[in-house]
Amino acid sequence: MFRTLRVAAVAAGAAALLSIGFTAPASAATVLDCDTFVHNNDNYLGIAFCRNPTGQLWRFRAVVTCGWAPDVVGEWVTLRPGASGQSQGVCGRLGTGVGAVGVDERRV
């Protein structure tokens, strides 16, 4: 009897969470037009190359997820309207290299 009530309560709680929009995380809107990649000859180097299609100043930096080494971020790069640039980060050599490259962007 109690086991049935607990299962029903868990199912009801899960249904409530799904009904209020917790089915998937919201995706972050990006303004800059960016390409991210791992360097062709060095899998410890993550690069973000971005273009600014807006009429405002923006800045960005590469956010590099490293394997067994600590994650790193690249230098901030400020882009004028229509300009492009790149930021990069290097993972520690004792790790397994770049796992992913993202972009942190902010309006100036």
Side-chain angles (χ1 to χ4, degrees), residues 16-77:
L17 286 176
L18 290 174
S19 68
I20 59 173
F22 287 104
T23 57
S27 62
T30 59
V31 174
L32 300 176
D33 181 18
C34 298
D35 294 316
T36 60
F37 50 95
V38 179
H39 191 276
N40 191 40
N41 298 323
D42 183 359
N43 65 346
Y44 289 85
L45 176 60
I47 302 169
F49 181 82
C50 296
R51 290 169 290 286
N52 182 357
T54 73
Q56 300 175 333
L57 279 175
W58 281 83
R59 67 182 182 159
F60 76 97
R61 65 181 174 180
V63 179
V64 183
T65 303
C66 301
W68 291 97
D71 298 342
V72 296
V73 294
E75 295 291 324
W76 285 104
V77 176

